[in-house]
Amino acid sequence: MSINQKRRLVLTGLGILPLMLAGCSKEKPLVVHGQDITGANFGRDFNLQGPNGKRYTLNDFKGKALMIFFGFTQCPDVCPTALARAVEIKGLLGEDADKLQVLFITIDPERDTPEMLEAYTNAFDPSFMGLYGTLDETQAVAKEFKIYYKKVPTGSSYTMDHSALSYIFDTDGKLRLSLSHAQSAQECAEDIRQLLA
């Protein structure tokens, strides 16, 4: 066998290797309206407190698909719109609605008390859960999930600028999807349904 033939064989093998590895992956390929971020090296976990005082990690939600949105209760438009869309998504999932857990993680723990978070999420759906941490924990989880947020003074008070993505984890606790704020509830439900099949 010539050197060129050996080189061709090695290069052909290298070209096939990614396809073979993809075939070995447990996650089936997704055809989605959002962004497939399967295998992302961020969003690996969190350790935050719920309104009941209990601390939660990703492991606590295994067995369900998980939608995570970062925001704050005094948000005038993006956050209520995102949570209202989540309500609609659950409705569109029909019999699978209970297989989706929605988490609202506050980026404003100074003002978002446990009581406020609980009242806020319950106003949309009693199954939705608000999570919070200290200022340092909030900064750490935002960094882990590549979420942008910033306090912006408004006269005697302030508001929060922040990212408007929803992250979706599969039932094994693996980050799979990023849904943009512009996606319709129908598009989101179609994407999430693939993780429940």
Side-chain angles (χ1 to χ4, degrees), residues 12-31:
T12 303
L14 290 174
I16 292 171
L17 185 61
L19 296 175
M20 290 169 56
L21 291 175
C24 294
S25 174
K26 286 197 320 185
E27 288 88 22
K28 61 183 177 182
L30 301 174
V31 180

Side-chain angles (χ1 to χ4, degrees), residues 181-195:
H181 192 63
Q183 282 180 244
S184 70
Q186 181 65 46
E187 290 171 338
C188 294
E190 288 172 8
D191 288 0
I192 292 167
R193 196 173 280 115
Q194 294 182 59
L195 302 178

Side-chain angles (χ1 to χ4, degrees), residues 113-191:
T113 64
E115 296 77 20
M116 285 178 69
L117 272 174
E118 186 170 35
Y120 186 73
T121 55
N122 281 351
F124 292 94
D125 187 303
S127 73
F128 291 5
M129 184 183 295
L131 298 180
Y132 66 96
T134 63
L135 287 172
D136 287 344
E137 288 171 336
T138 301
Q139 187 175 25
V141 75
K143 184 177 179 182
E144 173 61 29
F145 281 80
K146 298 188 180 298
I147 291 295
Y148 163 81
Y149 73 100
K150 181 180 179 182
K151 186 187 281 192
V152 180
T154 56
S156 60
S157 186
Y158 66 89
T159 188
M160 303 292 289
D161 278 350
H162 63 93
S163 306
L165 293 172
S166 295
Y167 287 120
I168 309 297
F169 289 77
D170 65 19
T171 55
D172 291 324
K174 293 178 182 171
L175 182 56
R176 302 293 303 278
L177 294 171
S178 168
L179 305 178
S180 79
H181 192 63
Q183 282 180 244
S184 70
Q186 181 65 46
E187 290 171 338
C188 294
E190 288 172 8
D191 288 0

Side-chain angles (χ1 to χ4, degrees), residues 22-156:
C24 294
S25 174
K26 286 197 320 185
E27 288 88 22
K28 61 183 177 182
L30 301 174
V31 180
V32 293
H33 302 281
Q35 188 173 1
D36 182 351
I37 54 174
T38 302
N41 64 350
F42 64 92
R44 292 172 292 248
D45 207 355
F46 56 81
N47 188 325
L48 297 168
Q49 203 159 324
N52 56 7
K54 179 184 173 188
R55 294 196 75 85
Y56 290 90
T57 66
L58 269 176
N59 204 45
D60 290 305
F61 301 98
K62 277 196 177 173
K64 289 192 172 195
L66 187 63
M67 174 185 281
I68 297 181
F69 186 81
F70 290 79
F72 65 114
T73 63
Q74 295 185 42
C75 180
D77 48 21
V78 173
C79 299
T81 303
L83 291 178
R85 180 182 71 173
V87 171
E88 196 176 342
I89 291 165
K90 284 192 75 169
L92 290 167
L93 289 175
E95 292 179 2
D96 289 331
D98 289 341
K99 296 178 183 175
L100 177 67
Q101 175 64 56
V102 176
L103 296 182
F104 179 78
I105 298 177
T106 182
I107 52 165
D108 188 15
E110 292 178 271
R111 294 186 297 193
D112 287 346
T113 64
E115 296 77 20
M116 285 178 69
L117 272 174
E118 186 170 35
Y120 186 73
T121 55
N122 281 351
F124 292 94
D125 187 303
S127 73
F128 291 5
M129 184 183 295
L131 298 180
Y132 66 96
T134 63
L135 287 172
D136 287 344
E137 288 171 336
T138 301
Q139 187 175 25
V141 75
K143 184 177 179 182
E144 173 61 29
F145 281 80
K146 298 188 180 298
I147 291 295
Y148 163 81
Y149 73 100
K150 181 180 179 182
K151 186 187 281 192
V152 180
T154 56
S156 60

